[in-house]
Amino acid sequence: MNYTELTSAIKNYTENEETTFVSLIPTFVQQAEQRIFRTVTIPEVRANSTGTVFKGNQYLQRPSDFLAVASMAIIDPTTAEYSYLLDKDVNFIREGFPVTATEGKPLYYAQFDGDNVSLSTDGHFIFGPTPNVNYTVELHYYYQPPSIVTSQTSWLGDNADTVLLYGSLVEAYTFMKGEPDIMNDYKERYESSLKQLSVIDAFGKRDSYRDGEPR
């Protein structure tokens, strides 16, 4: 299902083509996508990026589309060995490494700050101890994929169109202040299709060879 087909379905299900309603369909769809992607962690909501944390500098800027960390590793420039860092908070790093001029191989990281929308700057990670050389950082993280509204097609539209449709209908019918029985039907169908998507999420976290076939 592409965005044109989704828009047409929303109008047909709700029997509503009023101008204000139609103009808000992109909002309904994006709200549904956000709800879905905050509920399940399918591989399509994970991304990978690499950067460099420099000698003498504790900080590394987060990706612009960052939501949450899945894992973070540094790569030794001499041996190419991966070392996965432990997630702590800023207080731990400040107390454990109170002298920022003391350098070593980073063992820990924390989220130092968040995005500053007014200044158009992204948040930063802080490392402890302060890096003693330049390290490549490999970050696996969660993000929200591009919306079907802007890209016209999406993974959800191609592989989970039922949950996307009924999620959008819940948002649309909430705006319409529609009949409770119809709203409940939309919600039930949304929850049912979301459970099906959660099965894919669960399968993505197991390996048939090591874990056995699911029963």
Side-chain angles (χ1 to χ4, degrees), residues 58 88-110 126-130:
Q58 283 186 293
K88 299 293 183 180
D89 59 42
V90 175
N91 296 335
F92 176 92
I93 291 177
R94 290 297 195 208
E95 183 174 18
F97 308 97
V99 180
T100 58
T102 302
E103 299 178 357
K105 183 177 181 178
L107 302 172
Y108 310 100
Y109 76 93
I126 183 173
F127 295 87
T130 301

Side-chain angles (χ1 to χ4, degrees), residues 10-160:
I10 292 170
K11 289 189 287 188
N12 289 338
Y13 272 72
T14 59
E15 298 181 334
N16 191 345
E17 296 200 29
E18 189 269 329
T19 303
T20 301
F21 175 83
V22 172
S23 71
L24 288 172
I25 287 178
T27 301
F28 304 147
V29 173
Q30 289 170 327
Q31 288 173 333
E33 288 173 326
Q34 186 177 86
R35 184 197 297 248
I36 294 165
F37 288 135
R38 298 299 192 277
T39 306
V40 294
T41 53
I42 53 177
E44 283 66 31
V45 300
R46 289 182 62 159
N48 168 270
S49 72
T50 57
T52 302
V53 59
F54 294 99
K55 171 180 167 59
N57 185 353
Q58 283 186 293
Y59 304 99
L60 177 69
Q61 185 169 293
R62 303 186 322 193
S64 59
D65 56 357
F66 172 87
L67 289 179
V69 175
S71 67
M72 183 185 293
I74 58 171
I75 304 172
D76 189 289
T78 303
T79 65
E81 181 181 6
Y82 277 71
S83 297
Y84 282 87
L85 305 183
L86 298 178
D87 180 20
K88 299 293 183 180
D89 59 42
V90 175
N91 296 335
F92 176 92
I93 291 177
R94 290 297 195 208
E95 183 174 18
F97 308 97
V99 180
T100 58
T102 302
E103 299 178 357
K105 183 177 181 178
L107 302 172
Y108 310 100
Y109 76 93
Q111 295 190 46
F112 183 73
D113 59 3
D115 298 341
N116 190 322
V117 177
S118 62
L119 297 178
S120 299
T121 58
D122 300 313
H124 296 80
F125 298 109
I126 183 173
F127 295 87
T130 301
N132 57 338
V133 296
N134 297 347
Y135 291 93
T136 297
V137 178
E138 182 173 275
L139 173 67
H140 290 266
Y141 65 100
Y142 297 101
Y143 82 116
Q144 183 159 316
S147 172
I148 194 172
V149 173
T150 54
S151 62
Q152 300 301 304
T153 59
S154 70
W155 187 91
L156 285 179
D158 291 341
N159 299 279

